Amino acid sequence: MAGMDDRTNRPTALYDLSRAGLTERLAGWGYSDYYAGLVWAGLYRDLAAAPEAIAGLRPELAARLAAETVGVLPVRATIDSADGHTRKVLLGLADGAAIETVLMYFRGRATVCISTQVGCAMGCVFCATGQMGFRRHLSPGEIAAQVVHAERALRARGETLRNIVLMGMGEPLHNYEATMAALETVMDHRGLAIGPRFITLSTVGVVPGIRRLTAERRPMRLAVSLHGATDEERARLVPPARRWPLSELMAACRDYTTTLGRRIFFEWTLIDGQNDGPAQAQALGRLLAGMDAHVNLIPLNPTLGYDGRPTAGPAARAFQAVLAGYGLPSTVRQRRGIDVAAGCGQLAVERS
Ligand code: SAH
Ligand code: SF4
């Protein structure tokens, strides 16, 4: 019998188990860690989609495993962008919900954008996921399954996955444990072996979560969504700004960079006439000056529930020039997959 997840009351899939958890499960059946190693390699190196596809197992173990669910998420729909570089995949979950995963086929640096929750509780006004509200957390296996899906799709094209960005549906630090468990799985060198430098976790600024990442010295890269450089301006776009004011957020970010000796990426959605003027750029410059920081500017992508326009190229470049004056490097993010609503913040699943 498959085990159950205490928190969600759903059956635990093999993808939900850590390497140690798999060892424990197999030990319960009387198999040594050697066999757990075979199963792990079958799941994450050979990408077996069903227990019977795991090669090299003794028949009794294969029979035992046949009762288990791997946790592969079925593809419910696929949409490709017109330029062919972006594929949005709607993956079905066992309870009938669905999540979106976005594959970006940049040759040699293929990237997957994964979700950590169904919906999101944070309510950022311009974000399609925020507009749909919070449904539930994803389990570790549901998060890891998106990465396995990407790697499988890429291998079919003779390529391999390089980058993971946690910028899909949901707030990863609101689902801390499951997110970290999934990242441990995909980083494991005996399986997918995605290096932590190639994983970027993006947060709206959940201060206790950033503090925990620092204390636990988590190795992945961190991106923090700001969008406003004063509490008042930020709170208009990002409601959690009321709970975690900039003074606390920036203190946590500074601790992170100094303790871990690592750069932080700051995200700023550029909204025409809202947060893209020189005064805002200066305020952001003052906020980040002296920090090991890089600013990612994201021209607003349209969503049904927010009536704003993206900042045009010249104004975005002027914003960058102000930041450069404070010694801050920045990038204007290329727009990808807009025609299939797979750009940042556009991931939402229609209510059934
Ligand atoms: N919850 C996390 C990660 C998911 S969103 C976070 O908020 O950081 C990834 C990035 O896309 C965030 O910076 C978010 O603010 C931004 N984003 C959301 N909706 C957007 C939109 N409509 N246009 C541009 N960027 C958007
Ligand atoms: Fe949630 Fe991030 Fe969207 Fe805000 S921007 S609602 S935190 S997914």
Side-chain angles (χ1 to χ4, degrees):
M1 262 294 285
M4 298 293 284
D5 180 325
D6 296 339
R7 227 169 32 137
T8 59
N9 232 8
R10 282 190 305 276
T12 320
L14 292 176
Y15 285 159
D16 281 313
L17 299 175
S18 63
R19 178 64 176 76
L22 184 64
T23 299
E24 209 179 299
R25 172 78 58 95
L26 264 65
W29 303 341
Y31 291 93
S32 69
D33 183 58
Y34 168 78
Y35 292 95
L38 286 182
V39 174
W40 189 265
L43 292 174
Y44 299 110
R45 204 177 295 151
D46 305 336
L47 311 183
E52 53 273 24
I54 299 174
L57 299 182
R58 299 214 308 248
E60 323 87 81
L61 177 54
R64 196 89 212 231
L65 271 178
E68 299 287 320
T69 321
V70 171
V72 174
L73 303 177
V75 176
R76 291 234 195 110
T78 297
I79 315 171
D80 291 320
S81 61
D83 64 13
H85 292 310
T86 308
R87 168 168 289 186
K88 181 169 85 168
V89 189
L90 188 66
L91 297 172
L93 307 178
D95 65 353
I99 46 165
E100 294 184 353
T101 301
V102 182
L103 274 158
M104 287 157 274
Y105 298 113
F106 313 141
R107 191 155 277 287
R109 50 186 184 92
T111 301
V112 66
C113 175
I114 61 173
S115 298
T116 53
Q117 297 176 320
V118 183
C120 183
M122 300 295 151
C124 304
V125 296
F126 51 75
C127 169
T129 311
Q131 289 159 15
M132 74 186 262
F134 178 73
R135 308 285 172 82
R136 70 166 172 90
H137 293 302
L138 295 184
S139 73
E142 289 168 332
I143 300 169
Q146 299 170 67
V147 178
V148 179
H149 175 87
E151 178 68 359
R152 202 178 278 125
L154 284 159
R155 276 196 204 171
R157 298 163 64 117
E159 290 176 53
T160 181
L161 179 66
R162 182 165 150 123
N163 302 303
I164 302 175
V165 294
L166 287 85
M167 297 185 185
M169 298 166 77
E171 167 50 48
L173 297 185
H174 182 214
N175 187 16
Y176 191 95
E177 312 260 338
T179 299
M180 292 307 137
L183 293 181
E184 291 288 333
T185 293
V186 304
M187 288 190 296
D188 190 288
H189 66 276
R190 296 156 293 194
L192 290 163
I194 310 284
R197 291 188 295 132
F198 301 102
I199 302 177
T200 304
L201 182 152
S202 173
T203 177
V204 72
V206 177
V207 169
I210 296 171
R211 295 232 169 256
R212 198 165 161 195
L213 289 174
T214 311
E216 296 173 358
R217 307 190 77 90
R218 295 282 171 180
M220 63 290 293
R221 304 217 258 177
L222 179 64
V224 175
S225 300
L226 280 181
H227 314 307
T230 63
D231 286 324
E232 202 193 347
E233 290 190 352
R234 194 163 177 256
R236 268 194 260 136
L237 301 169
V238 180
R242 296 193 189 95
R243 180 147 171 215
W244 297 295
L246 280 168
S247 55
E248 288 176 30
L249 176 58
M250 295 315 296
C253 289
R254 270 187 221 101
D255 275 358
Y256 177 95
T257 54
T258 52
T259 306
L260 301 182
R262 228 183 283 145
R263 160 172 296 195
I264 297 192
F265 297 82
F266 289 95
E267 290 160 291
W268 187 283
T269 296
L270 283 170
I271 310 170
D272 185 44
Q274 293 292 318
N275 65 352
D276 62 348
Q280 279 105 340
Q282 281 156 12
L284 177 60
R286 283 194 300 271
L287 194 67
L288 303 184
M291 246 180 114
D292 188 4
H294 184 105
V295 180
N296 283 326
L297 300 164
I298 318 167
L300 180 77
N301 291 316
T303 56
L304 272 181
Y306 183 69
D307 191 18
R309 278 172 299 125
T311 300
R317 284 190 287 280
F319 199 94
Q320 283 189 287
V322 173
L323 295 180
Y326 288 87
L328 289 167
S330 65
T331 316
V332 180
R333 197 176 289 166
Q334 278 174 288
R335 313 191 79 191
R336 293 272 173 195
I338 302 313
D339 50 338
V340 296
C344 293
Q346 292 177 300
L347 299 179
V349 179
E350 288 75 39
R351 286 161 200 268
S352 47

